[in-house]
Amino acid sequence: MAASAIGVIFSNMHEENVPELVRIRTMASIPFGGRYRLIDFALSNMVNSGITTVGLMTNNNYRSLIDHIGSGKDWDLARKDGGLILLPPFSEKHDKLYSTRLEALRSITGFLSRRKEKYVVLADCDGVAKFDISDIINYHESKNADITLVTKHGKVGHRSDFMLINADKDGRVNEIKLSPHMSEGTKADIFVNIMIINRQFLLNAVEDTVTHGFTSFENEILVKQLNSLKIYQYDFKGYYAGIDSMEAYYKHNMELLDKEVRDELFGDRDIYTKVRDSAPSKYGEDAIVKNSLISDGCVIEGVVENSILFRGVKVGKGAVVRNSIIMQDNYIGANTSLDCVITDKNVVISDRKTLAGCAELPYFIQKGTRL
């Protein structure tokens, strides 16, 4: 069923939630889990579900994203027909960068109109999950829906741009709340920024709303036309990690240290990423590693506990790294102590430093910093 759909991934949505991590990159290219980027999950879900044409919407700061995805061959999307298609941040008729989802969709109407598939899968990159999109499309078709919104029942987090869904017993959406004022931790059905929509309906809706000067897809199409459209809710039951704050980014990375979470997220179907032929990690005679994810190319001579180390990290003698996320090509000096620290790429921390944060407010070090 997913062969009758194309994918559109928005690489820059929700960046205001994690400003520290997107100063030099898009939301889609934020590193996650030791060797992945956030876009890997959206791309892999589509490929594993049989979608072979995926348009990638870019806006700004997308140099690292282009470097990561390349031609799309690591996701089997380097194809003559379809495959991975980079979509510029402006349309053929307008040179203004988009700032809303509706403006972004307007800029790719040419791409959408040239395709023949019946459905479009719209996805953002702010969530980590393993979806079988074929199941969602089957549900969408069984309901003869115009739009199907994927939701997850859970606690409301820090973000201010979330959307809550209420539906009747048949799954038809009867209420949509945009950024409601709710206490953090309140449980609700939260839209996870993945939807199935009929391609021709999407083209008509975008043309109509733009003609009237509207700019908000959520408000003008979903909320205002709720009663006239057949909008359904698909309740996702599996593991879902929403990256809506630095606290959430830290928390969900740390959840990967739980084998049950890893098995659910990475079992059965692969999550693909850019392949790097790095050497295996090397451990010194005095190295101690406990309950940690260590990527290839690391050199560890100190202590690493409850932490995630990306590729090429070096931990000096006597250094202690606990409860931390150390991104690619970092150097941790001898006798240095880190606890609840997130370091971006290419950080150098010299000998005998002590840095600490907490789970609610991890200590973050920007890319290329030397301490």
Side-chain angles (χ1 to χ4, degrees):
M1 189 63 67
S4 63
I6 59 173
V8 175
I9 297 176
F10 298 88
S11 65
N12 289 79
M13 296 294 179
H14 318 294
E15 291 185 338
E16 67 279 1
N17 293 323
V18 283
E20 302 93 336
L21 294 171
V22 296
R23 288 192 178 100
I24 56 171
R25 60 171 69 91
T26 67
M27 189 81 180
S29 57
I30 291 176
F32 186 86
R35 61 191 298 259
Y36 300 95
R37 304 290 184 114
L38 290 184
I39 192 174
D40 293 340
F41 297 90
L43 266 181
S44 298
N45 287 332
M46 291 186 180
V47 170
N48 288 333
S49 301
I51 295 175
T52 57
T53 300
V54 180
L56 177 59
M57 290 293 306
T58 57
N59 188 290
N60 53 51
N61 283 345
Y62 51 83
R63 180 177 177 179
S64 65
L65 178 61
I66 301 303
D67 175 69
H68 178 70
I69 63 174
S71 64
K73 66 181 180 63
D74 292 309
W75 298 265
D76 193 28
L77 288 174
R79 299 166 178 257
K80 291 183 179 179
D81 181 23
L84 184 63
I85 302 170
L86 296 178
L87 301 171
F90 41 79
S91 67
E92 299 169 354
K93 299 179 181 180
H94 304 277
D95 58 2
K96 180 183 176 182
L97 293 176
Y98 69 81
S99 58
T100 68
R101 191 183 304 277
L102 185 58
E103 292 175 354
L105 290 169
R106 180 191 184 188
S107 73
I108 63 169
T109 52
F111 163 72
L112 294 174
S113 62
R114 288 190 291 269
R115 301 305 306 179
K116 303 299 182 183
E117 290 84 356
K118 188 175 181 180
Y119 306 114
V120 181
V121 181
L122 302 180
D124 296 345
C125 293
D126 64 327
V128 173
K130 184 173 62 179
F131 292 96
D132 188 339
I133 296 174
S134 296
D135 289 345
I136 306 173
I137 294 176
N138 288 337
Y139 175 84
H140 176 85
E141 191 161 78
S142 70
K143 297 295 185 180
N144 193 28
D146 296 314
I147 304 172
T148 295
L149 305 176
V150 181
T151 64
K152 175 68 177 178
H153 188 75
K155 295 180 179 180
V156 174
H158 295 277
R159 64 189 302 171
S160 59
D161 61 341
F162 62 93
M163 187 165 76
L164 300 186
I165 304 296
N166 287 323
D168 61 22
K169 293 181 179 179
D170 190 45
R172 185 161 182 171
V173 177
N174 52 33
E175 184 180 28
I176 295 176
K177 298 179 181 179
L178 299 178
S179 303
H181 295 289
M182 299 185 69
S183 301
E184 183 179 335
T186 302
K187 287 192 173 183
D189 289 334
I190 306 169
F191 176 50
V192 299
N193 300 310
I194 297 175
M195 72 176 73
I196 311 296
I197 187 166
N198 297 349
R199 183 181 62 86
Q200 193 56 54
F201 168 80
L202 176 61
L203 284 168
N204 295 339
V206 170
E207 180 180 0
D208 180 65
T209 51
V210 169
T211 300
H212 288 84
F214 300 136
T215 59
S216 172
F217 178 90
E218 292 79 5
N219 190 58
E220 302 302 333
I221 295 179
L222 298 181
V223 176
K224 289 188 177 180
Q225 300 184 51
L226 178 61
N227 294 327
S228 60
L229 297 178
K230 290 181 286 187
I231 303 178
Y232 279 82
Q233 171 196 27
Y234 180 90
D235 184 23
F236 178 63
K237 301 294 186 181
Y239 174 82
Y240 177 82
I243 310 300
D244 59 7
S245 65
M246 282 296 288
E247 179 185 348
Y249 176 79
Y250 176 83
K251 172 188 174 184
H252 295 311
N253 268 279
M254 291 295 105
E255 285 175 348
L256 295 181
L257 300 179
D258 184 336
K259 184 178 182 301
E260 291 186 2
V261 173
R262 292 199 305 273
D263 288 346
E264 181 174 350
L265 193 56
F266 299 108
D268 298 333
R269 294 184 172 192
D270 290 332
I271 300 297
Y272 307 104
T273 190
K274 181 178 181 179
V275 175
R276 299 179 186 270
D277 297 321
S278 303
S281 292
K282 179 180 179 181
Y283 301 87
E285 292 182 357
D286 299 323
I288 299 175
V289 179
K290 298 180 181 179
N291 192 39
S292 297
L293 296 180
I294 309 296
S295 301
D296 48 358
C298 294
V299 178
I300 301 175
E301 298 182 284
V303 176
V304 178
E305 295 181 359
N306 303 318
S307 295
I308 297 175
L309 272 57
F310 285 70
R311 296 180 175 102
V313 173
K314 294 178 174 58
V315 179
K317 290 185 178 181
V320 178
V321 179
R322 291 191 175 98
N323 311 309
S324 296
I325 302 168
I326 310 299
M327 294 189 195
Q328 185 174 317
D329 296 329
N330 276 220
Y331 175 80
I332 311 300
N335 300 308
T336 286
S337 175
L338 305 181
D339 190 4
C340 290
V341 173
I342 301 175
T343 65
D344 211 318
K345 298 171 64 175
N346 302 315
V347 169
V348 175
I349 302 177
S350 57
D351 300 348
R352 296 180 295 278
K353 295 293 189 297
T354 299
L355 303 173
C358 63
E360 292 74 23
L361 188 63
Y363 189 96
F364 178 73
I365 304 175
Q366 295 184 28
K367 179 180 178 179
T369 300
R370 301 178 69 90
L371 293 176

